[in-house]
């Protein structure tokens, strides 16, 4: 299969002669099964998570092959552990995570494992499962989530704080991001690292490529290259202290204040309407009622289609 061939001849091996040590990123076993769809031949009520024990040997073989190919770390993405829209309940997902990483973590023929759970708040059950698992690191989204006051078991792990938003194009508040990272020290992890909240696949490459932008607007932006530089600055601060990165922190704060105070950025009328919203405004009606209303208003064809603007 393709996954068996990739570790020995893929991008990891290609990068080493050029001085790059890559970190392969793979969908984690819990998320793979939680998002899996049963075939028509599956029995009624079939739960894909019930196949976890059958899947784990495949992941073990993959991890072994990646280590043999020179990978020092492997990132296993588990967004299912933060999802609110899956049929499996958080307790079942956390139990699957505990079983999966309990089995994979004890293997000696693997790279170090980083489990990443971005995009939202990590469920308390999942925190407990990952903290207890024999893995080396956990990455969390601190732009849309937080951490419990105590998480037993982190004293043997690296905690990667995703304080740089990977889902928007703004420069953001770097000073506040560093403060959130410093607060992680109270959890007792063996090491704190800086990171993005999610993969940077959601943002463009480099603001410098946008030569037609107004310079003032460009100063408010951070695309992938700029967000990587922000992570490097924060990581430097964690090692050498806040004073060492005072300049990039201040520059980001100045840009943020300029954006928030610029004409046209904040519309008072819109803000007043937003402030007047009540709980009922956030409740969706029943499906049949919404379909009827949309049909009357939009008159969509049987198979409507669209695309994203970048195409």
């Amino acid at each position: 299969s393709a996954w068996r061939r990739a570790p020995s001849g893929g991008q990891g091996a290609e990068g080493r002669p050029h001085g790059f040590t890559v970190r392969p990123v793979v969908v984690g076993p819990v998320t793979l099964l939680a998002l899996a769809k049963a075939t028509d031949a599956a029995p009624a009520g079939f739960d894909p998570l019930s196949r976890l024990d059958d899947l784990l040997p495949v992941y073990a073989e993959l991890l072994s092959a990646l280590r043999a190919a020179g990978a020092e770390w492997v990132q296993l993405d588990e967004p299912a552990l933060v999802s609110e829209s899956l049929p499996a309940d958080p307790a079942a997902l956390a139990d699957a995570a505990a079983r999966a990483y309990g089995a994979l973590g004890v293997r000696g023929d693997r790279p170090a494992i980083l489990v990443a759970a971005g995009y939202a708040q990590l469920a308390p059950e999942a925190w407990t499962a990952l903290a207890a698992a024999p893995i080396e690191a956990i990455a969390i989204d601190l732009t849309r989530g937080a951490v419990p006051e105590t998480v037993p078991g982190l004293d043997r792990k690296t905690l990667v704080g995703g304080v740089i938003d990977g889902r928007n194009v703004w420069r953001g508040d770097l000073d506040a991001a560093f403060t959130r990272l410093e607060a992680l020290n109270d959890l007792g992890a063996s090491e704190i690292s800086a990171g993005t909240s999610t993969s940077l696949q959601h943002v463009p490459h480099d603001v410098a490529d946008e030569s037609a932008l107004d310079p003032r607007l460009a100063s408010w932006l951070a695309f992938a290259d700029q967000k990587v530089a922000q992570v490097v600055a924060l990581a430097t601060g964690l090692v050498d202290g806040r004073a060492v990165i005072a300049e990039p922190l201040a520059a980001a704060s100045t840009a943020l204040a300029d954006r928030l105070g610029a004409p046209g950025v904040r519309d008072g009328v819109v803000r007043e309407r937003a402030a007047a919203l009540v709980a009922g405004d956030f409740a969706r009606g029943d499906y049949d009622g919404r379909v009827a209303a949309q049909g009357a208003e939009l008159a969509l064809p049987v198979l409507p289609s669209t695309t994203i603007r970048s195409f």
Side-chain angles (χ1 to χ4, degrees):
S1 64
W3 71 263
R4 282 197 175 95
R5 292 194 298 270
S8 60
Q11 293 174 323
E14 293 172 4
R16 283 199 304 277
H18 301 284
F20 294 101
T21 300
V22 302
R23 183 178 69 206
V25 179
V26 183
V27 175
V30 177
T31 296
L32 181 67
L33 290 176
L35 297 179
K37 302 294 189 295
T39 68
D40 293 338
F46 172 75
D47 180 7
L49 282 173
S50 66
R51 298 297 303 273
L52 181 63
D53 290 339
D54 299 320
L55 180 63
L56 291 180
V58 180
Y59 271 82
E61 186 177 349
L62 173 59
L63 292 175
S64 178
L66 288 171
R67 176 172 177 175
E72 298 175 5
W73 283 83
V74 169
Q75 176 176 325
L76 295 174
D77 283 349
E78 292 287 12
L81 298 179
V82 306
S83 175
E84 297 178 347
S85 60
L86 294 174
D89 63 66
L93 292 168
D95 177 69
R99 290 163 50 207
Y101 293 105
L104 296 175
V106 297
R107 299 186 63 91
D109 58 340
R110 63 168 180 82
I113 294 176
L114 164 66
V115 175
Y119 298 97
Q121 173 71 47
L122 189 62
E125 302 95 331
W127 265 116
T128 301
L130 294 180
I135 57 176
E136 285 68 32
I138 304 169
I140 55 172
D141 183 345
L142 287 179
T143 67
R144 292 169 176 79
V147 295
E149 292 185 3
T150 58
V151 185
L154 288 182
D155 56 305
R156 299 179 299 278
K157 291 179 176 59
T158 295
L159 185 59
V160 183
V163 294
I164 299 300
D165 199 330
R167 296 172 67 185
N168 69 35
V169 297
W170 302 112
R171 193 167 177 175
D173 189 340
L174 206 58
D175 188 80
F178 190 70
T179 298
R180 286 197 295 274
L181 283 176
E182 289 181 310
L184 295 180
N185 286 313
D186 296 337
L187 293 174
S190 62
E191 184 176 356
I192 302 299
S193 293
T196 56
S197 63
T198 65
S199 164
L200 294 178
Q201 65 182 337
H202 308 291
V203 296
H205 174 211
D206 187 356
V207 175
D209 291 339
E210 306 296 333
S211 57
L213 285 179
D214 177 87
R216 185 180 187 186
L217 172 59
S219 73
W220 303 341
L221 299 175
F223 294 172
D225 275 15
Q226 287 71 42
K227 289 179 186 290
V228 169
Q230 289 179 319
V231 170
V232 172
L234 295 174
T236 300
L238 287 174
V239 174
D240 299 327
R242 181 187 286 264
V244 175
I245 59 168
E247 185 176 342
L249 294 184
S253 296
T254 298
L256 178 61
D258 182 51
R259 175 166 71 89
L260 295 181
V265 172
R266 293 198 171 196
D267 188 321
V269 174
V270 173
R271 289 182 173 270
E272 288 176 5
R273 291 178 60 194
L277 294 173
V278 297
D281 295 321
F282 296 90
R284 305 176 75 185
D286 66 277
Y287 177 80
D288 291 337
R290 286 186 286 116
V291 167
Q294 290 169 2
E297 178 69 23
L298 302 177
L300 295 174
V302 174
L303 185 62
S305 62
T306 185
T307 187
I308 60 176
R309 186 174 181 182
S310 61
F311 284 162

